[in-house]
Amino acid sequence: MATASQAIAAGSYQTRVVIREHDELGDLAASLNAMASALEEAEQRRVHLIGDVAHEIRTPLATVRGYLEGLADGVVEPSPELFAQLHDETGRIQRLVDDLQELSRVESGRITLHTRPIAPMRLIDAAASRLASAFDEKNVRLSVERRGALPDVLADEDRTIQVLTNLLSNALRYTPGEGEVRLGAAREDQFIRFSVRDTGTGIPAEHLPRVFDRFYRVDPARSRAMGGSGIGLTIARSLVESQGGTISAESAGSDQGSLFGFTLPIAH
């Protein structure tokens, strides 16, 4: 076990101790193996995250560099349209950096939540008003379902509106013109369930378990073209869970629309 612990400390996380006896030393060896497994999994996540970040930054950066080299060589003519495209690409990089910073703060617990009793419809109306113009611009109907009086929910107002705004933005991104997005809330035992239902492109069943993973996209090329950073839903999940709730996604399949919902506890 001493040799194994030294190997693990040196970064050899795949090291395991062979358990021969089921006594105190065997329990200690099992604990050491469990620790090594956890460290190995964390290291794999770290390596994958670095690779994902590099991949996400490489695409817009390559576009910017290509145009700049063309301008420098005189093979590309400067134009307002070109500068607008360069601005959009640098904006994608900035959004990715901002979202990564936000995700790091949320997942490490370095955010302060100010939870208090608040009316669920106040949160819904605030999120809907923020994106009303974007829905009008794309000609997608945004409707708010009102189901009578609901008890107050215990939530951080700003962070919950952030989650709702994220889900609404995601629904708008994948809902074509003339479509509809419905936003609502209902009581579910000792929780309030917020829901965002759209008539958009939907999600195939095999992708549903991973939609909240970092950088996971059902259609990578299409998602990047639409401007998503790939970690907005991951941030939403972390914010909901840090307030004692859960978040989920449902869809009947491609072109069948999607339903994203999350719960927060009722204030007592």
Side-chain angles (χ1 to χ4, degrees), residues 47 78 181:
V47 171
V181 175

Side-chain angles (χ1 to χ4, degrees), residues 10-201:
S12 181
Y13 302 128
Q14 72 277 9
T15 302
R16 299 292 185 273
V17 178
V18 178
I19 301 175
R20 295 187 175 87
E21 302 292 341
H22 296 284
D23 53 10
E24 289 84 355
L25 287 178
D27 292 340
L28 179 59
S31 297
L32 186 64
N33 288 341
M35 180 187 69
S37 296
L39 289 172
E40 184 178 15
E41 183 179 348
E43 177 63 11
Q44 290 174 349
R45 288 199 303 268
R46 184 187 70 82
V47 171
H48 290 158
L49 178 60
I50 292 174
D52 289 338
V53 171
H55 179 72
E56 293 297 323
I57 293 178
R58 183 182 297 114
T59 301
L61 198 57
T63 301
V64 172
R65 181 174 181 176
Y67 279 122
L68 290 177
E69 289 177 349
L71 288 169
D73 295 338
V75 298
V76 175
E77 292 293 329
S79 67
E81 292 77 16
L82 174 59
F83 293 134
Q85 185 171 355
L86 290 173
H87 181 270
D88 290 343
E89 293 297 334
T90 56
R92 286 177 59 188
I93 298 175
Q94 183 64 58
R95 287 193 298 272
L96 175 60
V97 171
D98 291 343
D99 284 348
L100 283 170
Q101 186 177 37
E102 176 77 356
L103 180 62
S104 174
R105 293 175 63 243
V106 171
E107 291 194 337
S108 64
R110 290 187 290 112
I111 62 169
T112 301
L113 295 175
H114 303 282
T115 58
R116 64 181 180 86
I118 186 168
M121 296 310 301
R122 172 173 174 171
L123 300 169
I124 285 178
D125 289 338
S129 64
R130 288 188 181 186
L131 293 176
S133 59
F135 274 82
D136 290 340
E137 182 178 349
K138 192 176 179 181
N139 195 26
V140 173
R141 180 185 176 189
L142 174 60
S143 59
V144 175
E145 299 177 347
R146 303 181 185 276
R147 300 181 180 180
L150 292 172
D152 287 350
V153 67
L154 186 63
D156 180 297
E157 182 173 4
D158 291 338
R159 293 300 184 178
T160 304
I161 292 175
Q162 179 181 348
V163 173
L164 287 168
T165 302
N166 182 286
L167 296 182
L168 283 174
S169 298
N170 197 63
L172 177 61
R173 185 176 297 122
Y174 295 103
T175 300
E178 305 294 336
E180 181 182 12
V181 175
R182 286 180 286 170
L183 175 62
R187 180 165 184 168
E188 191 174 274
D189 296 327
Q190 297 304 306
F191 294 86
I192 297 295
R193 173 170 289 278
F194 297 86
S195 61
V196 177
R197 184 187 299 273
D198 65 66
T199 59
T201 56

